[in-house]
Amino acid sequence: MQVFQSLDRAQKRNLSLLFVGGLFFWSSMASLLPTLPLYVQDLGGSQQQIGWVMGSFAIGLLLSRPTLGRWADHHSRVLVLRVGTTVVAIAPLGYLLADSIPELMALRVFHGISIAAFTTAYSALIADLSPPKQRGELIGYMSLVTPLGLAIGPALGGFVQQGLGYLSLFLMTASLGLVSLLCSGFLDNAPAPNRQEARAKAASATPSEGFWTMLASPRIQVPAILMLIVGLIFGTITTFVPLYIQDTGVNFNPGFFYTMTAISSFSMRLLTGRASDRLGRGVFISGALICYFLAMVLLWQAQTPFMFALAGLIEGMAAGTMLPTTIALMSDRSQSQERGRVFSLCIGGFDLGIAIAGPLLGTFAESLGYAQLFAIAAILSAIAELLFITRNSKDISHSLRFALGRERDIYALDRGI
């Protein structure tokens, strides 16, 4: 971990607070993954209504992320981070009062603001602190909070819900969020490097011009579409895996699926960040999309605990490679004064995918069954791979070579990768 030796004391302190706060943030969020679909079902929700409730979470992300991205560039990354941790600390308390599907949907919209704020600010802060030549390595290490939270949260949430009930579950989730909020309160309120220059440049474009210009840019367009597809896959997994396992009658705790995902995701983040600095981002994104395809095929055919566990393991390999590598890729392709908006736009594709997955595939679930939803997700993975190897650069030839790790990223601003 030589990258940390090049940082000063204040940077190390901020990174430590970010890591601890991120761990509690993701533990709070993940503790609801295996239990909330069942909670909606216990309230009388149908398969389609479960999809709507789970998908409503992403509406909050989509509506709030553009504004939060501008705040991160114009004002402070830390301010936006505190918005996210405040929401994650208070939103679970609302589930204690909700007793209808519309109320749960409204709460999920509000809860979604937490991830929009946290991921935008967290990613931008890490990118700001990263030495350019070791950016992938530091982002990879700091992104470990996600699989750690996904390893702790679902197992903890499932244990508390089964042993103590939903009341204790929601109180515990709020408590984890509160610790994350306290950590963010001790962060130095330092925005992006070159603060005055960053604010001046960020303010020079109107919000609409900035959004549409960035969306049309080749450096952002394909990664945003890929994140949309990955969001569809992720939304399918988070919404329907617990229900699918229950429907098959397989004796397998859904929380362990997410635990297997987290273990492999953790391992991949330790390895791929530093490797992508040396070998390029393209080959790792290509490999991640192949892993998504294999995991979805396994889920489609799963009939035993081993198959569910193996699918979770491979899906974790995909997520542990795809998400941090894409963040590193977009850090390479953006300047500090626009980084909050670039992340909000690119990761916004991921949010949109989650928003669509629950309601759209929930409609098909009643007629096709849960297994076929993962066949659809496998097809989407194949489409994403084809798109990346043909459209990630200025033409098919350059795209293919970058996807195979044989050419630098022509859109990188400060790196020869």
Side-chain angles (χ1 to χ4, degrees), residues 239-308:
T239 303
F240 298 110
V241 162
L243 300 169
Y244 180 37
I245 294 173
Q246 186 180 67
D247 187 62
T248 60
V250 174
N251 185 22
F252 186 74
N253 185 338
F256 289 126
F257 174 88
Y258 299 108
T259 300
M260 295 300 296
T261 296
I263 291 172
S264 62
S265 179
F266 181 94
S267 302
M268 295 304 295
R269 290 166 198 254
L270 285 174
L271 301 173
T272 58
R274 187 174 183 179
S276 74
D277 288 331
R278 294 184 291 105
L279 303 177
R281 318 294 187 204
V283 66
F284 293 97
I285 294 176
S286 298
L289 294 172
I290 292 172
C291 287
Y292 271 123
F293 175 78
L294 295 175
M296 294 307 102
V297 170
L298 276 171
L299 280 175
W300 173 36
Q301 297 294 321
Q303 294 294 327
T304 66
F306 174 77
M307 292 183 72
F308 280 111

Side-chain angles (χ1 to χ4, degrees), residues 11-26:
Q11 290 174 319
K12 292 177 181 177
R13 174 181 176 275
N14 279 338
L15 286 172
S16 298
L17 287 168
L18 280 169
F19 192 91
V20 174
L23 177 60
F24 278 91
F25 177 90
W26 284 111

Side-chain angles (χ1 to χ4, degrees), residues 9 22 95 127-128 161 166-167 186 213 228 235 254 328-329 383 406:
R9 180 177 297 180
Y95 295 114
D128 293 341
Q161 187 274 325
Y166 288 114
L167 173 63
F186 289 102
T213 300
L228 167 65
L329 179 75
I383 292 173
R406 297 185 176 182

